[in-house]
Amino acid sequence: MHNAKLTVLAGLISRHEHLFRCPICSRPLKMDGSRSMICGSRHCFDLSKDGYINLIPHAVRSKYNKDLFTSRRETSRHGLFDPLIDAIRNKIEDTAPSRSRELRILDAGCGEGSHLAAILSALQKPDAPDILGVGVDIAKEGIRLAAKSGVPAIWCAADLAGSPFADRQFDVILNILSPANYQEFQRLLRHDGLVIKVIPGSRYLQEIRALFQGEAANQPSPAEGLTSGHTIGRTIDRPSPAADSTTRRLVPATGRTAELFGRNFASVDVQHVEYGMLVAGEALEHLLRMTPLSWGVPEEAIQQAAGQGPLRVTFDYVMLCGGMNE
């Protein structure tokens, strides 16, 4: 199994060697056999038996662990991110460069890869040009889970501060609820490309914030994302569109994040994606465990919240979309 994953990854990287550059000296990286990439300065980076390539040249520590990434993967599997994924897919289809060539999508800060996997699946169409997905994250636990998913993409453990990619290689750069490096995004984006950054809106997971109010010593500000009526758990009840519609409306860009984005990219479009779901059972427990809002909350309080029955949860996102500043 491990050898099969290595073979698939090595073949995928070999066909796209031109994407890569050494994160140490910036010289081009080439495949060296089937288990590593090497540059002209002899800096060498190994392919993991789990199906990803480690392009981090130094030891790093991440505050995100395997349990958090596992819960986020399960939260995605229960469909809690589906309206957000639909909005991102629609934006890519409406504004991405012509599909006369391979579409290359970089997910910068991909975690365990659930968002990228769902977006790649949603964009696939019969007889359309190929789509290449590249997921990068500094947290190896997340990248390891992404690689084990079997999604045909290039998964990289790498640092955005010195990303291991050559200039002007990507048509779309995704940055979903994750720190950004706009200088690198400008370097990596093709001239007709699209950057989509997703940040939490003011109502994001407000019910969970209220639930844990006072339980954690230092709750983070809203940093992840829903408005009216699915029940997500062992059963899924999908109401009519009239009863529960996803709102995708333009809203004024507020906050330092939006302002900074606007200074770095052109033709900025701001979309608000808000929806609500009733979340229950296993899905609720995973949602509680995947959010930093539960950091520092006693385990007993998490279990009590997860077992209290369906909870209406608001997912509120702001999508910042822009292109190259010429």
Side-chain angles (χ1 to χ4, degrees):
M1 185 65 161
H2 288 320
N3 287 338
K5 285 184 178 180
L6 270 178
T7 300
V8 170
L9 178 63
L12 197 55
I13 291 177
S14 293
R15 294 193 298 275
H16 295 90
E17 283 182 332
H18 53 280
L19 293 181
F20 294 91
R21 77 175 196 182
C22 177
I24 298 174
C25 68
S26 299
R27 298 179 71 176
L29 280 171
K30 301 290 186 183
M31 284 296 298
D32 182 32
S34 62
R35 293 181 177 270
S36 61
M37 296 192 82
I38 194 167
C39 73
S41 301
R42 308 304 294 173
H43 298 128
C44 187
F45 302 91
D46 294 332
L47 278 62
S48 166
K49 64 181 183 297
D50 291 319
Y52 69 92
I53 182 166
N54 182 11
L55 292 163
I56 301 177
H58 50 80
V60 296
R61 294 183 63 182
S62 172
K63 59 186 176 182
Y64 302 107
N65 59 30
K66 181 180 179 180
D67 291 341
L68 181 146
F69 288 122
T70 299
S71 286
R72 197 173 85 159
R73 180 187 64 192
E74 291 304 303
T75 300
S76 179
R77 186 176 65 83
H78 282 284
L80 272 65
F81 300 128
D82 286 358
L84 174 63
I85 298 302
D86 288 343
I88 294 172
R89 179 205 62 207
N90 290 338
K91 186 63 181 178
I92 293 174
E93 289 181 338
D94 289 346
T95 61
S98 168
R99 290 296 306 276
S100 61
R101 64 175 188 237
E102 178 184 68
L103 184 69
R104 299 177 190 160
I105 301 176
L106 173 67
D107 187 355
C110 68
E112 82 302 334
S114 298
H115 294 325
L116 179 58
I119 291 165
L120 292 175
S121 177
L123 287 170
Q124 293 287 355
K125 287 184 171 56
D127 303 321
D130 290 339
I131 303 174
L132 175 68
V134 179
V136 58
D137 204 291
I138 200 168
K140 287 185 183 179
E141 290 291 357
I143 288 295
R144 189 174 290 116
L145 277 177
K148 288 181 177 180
S149 70
V151 175
I154 297 176
W155 302 107
C156 309
D159 187 349
L160 274 182
S163 60
F165 304 110
D167 296 355
R168 306 280 178 255
Q169 292 298 322
F170 295 98
D171 300 294
V172 179
I173 297 177
L174 305 174
N175 185 231
I176 303 172
L177 303 174
S178 182
N181 187 311
Y182 293 147
Q183 184 176 354
E184 281 295 270
F185 291 178
Q186 290 170 344
R187 183 180 68 81
L188 299 176
L189 192 66
R190 282 177 163 168
H191 290 291
D192 58 351
L194 172 70
V195 174
I196 300 177
K197 180 170 180 62
V198 178
I199 60 177
S202 61
R203 288 158 47 85
Y204 178 69
L205 301 189
Q206 60 184 7
E207 296 81 6
I208 295 177
R209 180 177 298 278
L211 200 62
F212 289 149
Q213 193 71 42
E215 292 285 0
N218 295 297
Q219 280 195 345
S221 59
E224 300 151 323
L226 298 188
T227 290
S228 30
H230 303 296
T231 297
I232 301 294
R234 292 185 180 177
T235 62
I236 300 177
D237 176 23
R238 299 190 180 276
S240 67
D244 182 18
S245 61
T246 301
T247 303
R248 297 181 181 88
R249 53 188 172 85
L250 297 182
V251 295
T254 59
R256 289 184 298 174
T257 300
E259 182 183 350
L260 183 61
F261 188 90
R263 290 204 301 264
N264 281 276
F265 300 102
S267 304
V268 173
D269 175 43
V270 183
Q271 295 188 27
H272 187 212
V273 181
E274 183 178 342
Y275 55 99
M277 293 184 179
L278 290 175
V279 188
E282 180 185 86
L284 178 56
E285 181 171 357
H286 282 300
L287 177 61
L288 296 174
R289 293 187 183 280
M290 67 141 236
T291 169
L293 294 174
S294 65
W295 288 359
V297 174
E299 176 63 23
E300 182 181 353
I302 296 175
Q303 291 185 6
Q304 182 178 357
Q308 72 175 15
L311 177 68
R312 181 180 294 279
V313 182
T314 301
F315 294 77
D316 181 16
Y317 303 100
V318 177
M319 277 176 45
L320 307 173
C321 311
M324 285 291 295
N325 270 327
E326 296 300 338

